[in-house]
Amino acid sequence: MTDFPISTLDLFVIGGYFLIVFGIGYYIAKRIDTGEDLFLAGRSLMWGTIGLSLFASNISSTTLIGLAGDAYSTGIAVSNYEWMAGLVLVFMAFFFIPFFIRSRLTTIPEYLEKRFDVRSRKYFSGLTVFTSIMIDAAGGIYAGTLVLQMFFPDLPFLWTAFGLAGIAGIYTAFGGLAAVVYTDVIQAVILFVGSVFIALITFAQFDFSWAQATAALPDGHLSMIHPIDNAEGRLPWLGTLVGVPVLGFYYWGLNQYIVQRVLGAKDLKQARWGALLGGLLKLAPLFIMVLPGAWALSLYPNLENPDLVFPTLVTELLPIGVVGLVLAGLVAAIMSTIDSTLNAASTLITVDFVQPAKPDLTAQQIGTLGKWVTVILMIVAALWAPMIREFPGLWNYIQSVLSFLVPPVVAVFLLGVFWPRMGKNSAFITLTGGHALSLVVFAFWITDTLELHFTIVAGLLTVLCIGLAIGSALAFDTQPTQEKVEGYTWANRTIEPETALPWYKDYRWQSVAIVGLTVVMLVVFW
């Protein structure tokens, strides 16, 4: 493993970051009393906190390493996942966030019970808990440990994994969502500032000349749109069109560990503004994370592993002290992913499974239970993280596996909101039958019998699951009762008069700005 030396000053900077995080966690923990405090920060979050937390929780250590590495090896098409998030969050602000906030949900699966029945809620909740702990939390611990070992090769894997899980788990267990989001604010700032440092100093190696920076890059390296049959393995245009929106909608709209910040908003306005701030920030990774990785191909053309791009840029180009700041950002990314997934999984288990079984629990008892559940999940994730080393092929397929897990869920939520005729039986059939169909398609795909990019497969499976939902609704469902559609579907939504606001505070104009900036990016980097 390559050794990237770190100075004493850089270590002090990283240590200072940890002290700040613990201080915030300790301060907030003293104010946590009830389950709603623990899981939703007392529904008091404001838009700035929500937006910064969305950004920080999404940018994991694998994102920082992976975006730069993919840009180095295949070009900037990997940024399509980033800017698409802005469009998805605009869609959420218009169509889904109002339902979530007005229903006063604590978990996203809770919507499925209100709209359909408890079967769909528990099925989706169980699926989300599994993916949150075994993929997101354990994956964050695993990747974070590997990244830290790049800079500190003498660190033992197991104890480093437990250390990361323990630090994030302790302040998450006792500080809850409030501790997560307020530490995320600091983490977002560090991530952003550190990434800007890397981008500017990398660009400075070419005298801030775009022509110099791009002169040695292969054809198509700075293009976002690529043909379906490209030999370089880049994200194809059809996958960007039909698959990336499906994955993005699930991640940004239905994934508990992301949407929990929105659910904790003070009101609908704060929720919408926070989501749109997150969408605006997601336009930045192209410039501060992806392009530096692409330019690195001109500076370091012979790197043996693309995953070395980020640590190479950090240690070769940044001055002492700034290296510590960027590594603190890297640690921030690791911690933000782990704390978010632990808090979300604890919320799901407590609210969707334990609380319905024991309805007599007091608010204080629910809060205490949630803390212990977080600690237990922390241990499970830390124990599983080292096991991932034994399944390198499986772990390489994790992103593609989500393309097979997501389509049935996306189909149910889209039709649940926009098609009142869909009922409880078709919802459950689509979830279970859709995943059975996904398993069959996955078998063909993993054996190369079906040779399509996984994003295209995600789009096709979503269409098939929508067809399954419509067919099963017409065959097995009667017209849902008014109770199941009133306030939970677009056609039967509650329309409340909106207070007149200045144009810059109007979420509709903010959405237009995000869409406009995205279009400009696409035109420039087509």
Side-chain angles (χ1 to χ4, degrees):
M1 183 173 292
T2 304
D3 184 359
F4 297 97
I6 305 299
S7 72
T8 303
L9 177 60
D10 294 318
L11 292 175
F12 272 112
V13 173
I14 297 171
Y17 159 77
F18 276 109
L19 288 176
I20 292 173
V21 168
F22 268 121
I24 292 175
Y26 175 75
Y27 173 75
I28 293 176
K30 294 192 297 182
R31 303 166 59 188
I32 297 299
D33 186 26
T34 67
E36 186 165 281
D37 292 337
L38 185 72
F39 301 135
L40 293 179
R43 298 188 193 269
S44 63
L45 300 181
M46 305 299 282
W47 66 273
T49 304
I50 295 169
L52 290 169
S53 183
L54 286 172
F55 179 77
S57 294
N58 168 246
I59 302 298
S60 65
S61 56
T62 50
T63 305
L64 288 172
I65 301 295
L67 285 178
D70 271 7
Y72 179 90
S73 57
T74 66
I76 67 169
V78 66
S79 66
N80 291 358
Y81 294 100
E82 304 302 307
W83 59 258
M84 184 64 76
L87 300 183
V88 170
L89 285 167
V90 167
F91 178 80
M92 291 297 301
F94 273 87
F95 298 111
F96 276 78
I97 289 176
F99 289 109
F100 293 163
I101 296 298
R102 287 167 182 157
S103 300
R104 292 189 65 80
L105 302 181
T106 301
T107 71
I108 296 301
E110 194 177 347
Y111 173 83
L112 293 181
E113 181 173 3
K114 293 177 180 291
R115 176 65 178 86
F116 301 115
D117 64 7
V118 70
R119 294 177 300 170
S120 295
R121 174 184 181 176
K122 291 190 180 298
Y123 182 89
F124 179 46
S125 185
L127 176 69
T128 307
V129 169
F130 176 81
T131 57
S132 293
I133 296 303
M134 307 307 284
I135 293 179
D136 295 324
I141 295 170
Y142 171 75
T145 302
L146 289 183
V147 169
L148 289 177
Q149 285 185 326
M150 289 182 181
F151 296 95
F152 308 101
D154 293 332
L155 289 176
F157 189 97
L158 182 61
W159 290 112
T160 303
F162 267 95
L164 287 174
I167 292 170
I170 289 171
Y171 73 72
T172 303
F174 293 95
L177 183 63
V180 171
V181 296
Y182 289 119
T183 53
D184 277 355
V185 170
I186 296 175
Q187 290 160 352
V189 172
I190 294 175
L191 279 170
F192 203 88
V193 172
S195 297
V196 168
F197 263 117
I198 293 176
L200 289 176
I201 295 178
T202 304
F203 198 26
Q205 306 308 302
F206 305 97
D207 299 323
F208 296 102
S209 167
W210 182 259
Q212 288 186 39
T214 59
L217 298 181
D219 290 340
H221 212 68
L222 295 181
S223 175
M224 292 181 178
I225 308 300
H226 296 283
I228 294 176
D229 57 347
N230 69 85
E232 295 83 3
R234 294 164 174 161
L235 179 62
W237 69 267
L238 184 58
T240 299
L241 182 65
V242 303
V244 175
V246 169
L247 297 173
F249 174 60
Y250 169 80
Y251 184 85
W252 292 100
L254 308 178
N255 190 336
Q256 180 72 23
Y257 100 82
I258 290 293
V259 188
Q260 196 155 333
R261 287 133 185 75
V262 177
L263 299 181
K266 182 179 180 180
D267 53 37
L268 178 57
K269 290 196 298 291
Q270 299 297 328
R272 277 174 163 158
W273 293 341
L276 293 174
L277 173 60
L280 179 64
L281 291 174
K282 287 301 291 178
L283 301 182
L286 168 64
F287 304 99
I288 63 176
M289 298 175 187
V290 175
L291 281 175
W295 294 331
L297 186 60
S298 300
L299 296 174
Y300 310 103
N302 299 315
L303 287 180
E304 60 186 30
N305 184 349
D307 287 343
L308 298 178
V309 172
F310 179 81
T312 299
L313 290 175
V314 169
T315 54
E316 292 290 333
L317 300 182
L318 298 186
I320 292 175
V322 178
V323 171
L325 176 67
V326 173
L327 288 185
L330 186 61
V331 174
I334 297 168
M335 304 298 289
S336 185
T337 299
I338 299 169
D339 62 25
S340 299
T341 52
L342 289 175
N343 184 250
S346 173
T347 304
L348 290 166
I349 290 174
T350 304
V351 176
D352 288 344
F353 293 97
V354 177
Q355 195 172 357
K358 296 182 178 295
D360 295 332
L361 290 176
T362 65
Q364 288 73 24
Q365 287 174 324
I366 292 171
T368 301
L369 176 65
K371 294 175 182 178
W372 281 109
V373 170
T374 301
V375 172
I376 293 170
L377 293 176
M378 171 194 75
I379 296 171
V380 172
L383 288 173
W384 177 248
M387 299 299 103
I388 295 172
R389 292 180 297 180
E390 307 300 322
F391 305 98
L394 175 63
W395 196 249
N396 289 336
Y397 279 116
I398 279 181
Q399 283 300 316
S400 54
V401 166
L402 290 177
S403 296
F404 296 86
L405 290 177
V406 162
V409 177
V410 170
V412 167
F413 272 90
L414 286 176
L415 290 177
V417 167
F418 294 113
W419 193 43
R421 177 65 177 80
M422 188 176 183
K424 61 183 182 181
N425 294 322
S426 54
F428 191 66
I429 289 171
T430 303
L431 289 172
T432 54
H435 281 132
L437 175 64
S438 294
L439 184 62
V440 173
V441 176
F442 181 72
F444 283 110
W445 183 80
I446 202 172
T447 56
D448 294 328
T449 306
L450 179 65
E451 295 184 356
L452 288 175
H453 194 273
F454 62 84
T455 53
I456 299 176
V457 175
L460 292 175
L461 278 174
T462 302
V463 172
L464 291 175
C465 288
I466 289 174
L468 173 62
I470 293 174
S472 56
L474 297 176
F476 303 110
D477 276 326
T478 57
Q479 183 71 36
T481 63
Q482 193 67 16
E483 179 188 4
K484 289 297 184 182
V485 297
E486 189 68 43
Y488 301 118
T489 63
W490 184 254
N492 302 91
R493 67 190 184 279
T494 302
I495 301 177
E496 301 171 356
E498 296 192 23
T499 307
L501 295 170
W503 66 269
Y504 58 88
K505 290 186 177 181
D506 191 322
Y507 75 94
R508 290 164 292 198
W509 282 111
Q510 294 169 351
S511 299
V512 168
I514 292 173
V515 173
L517 289 172
T518 303
V519 170
V520 171
M521 284 173 50
L522 285 172
V523 170
V524 171
F525 293 100
W526 185 269

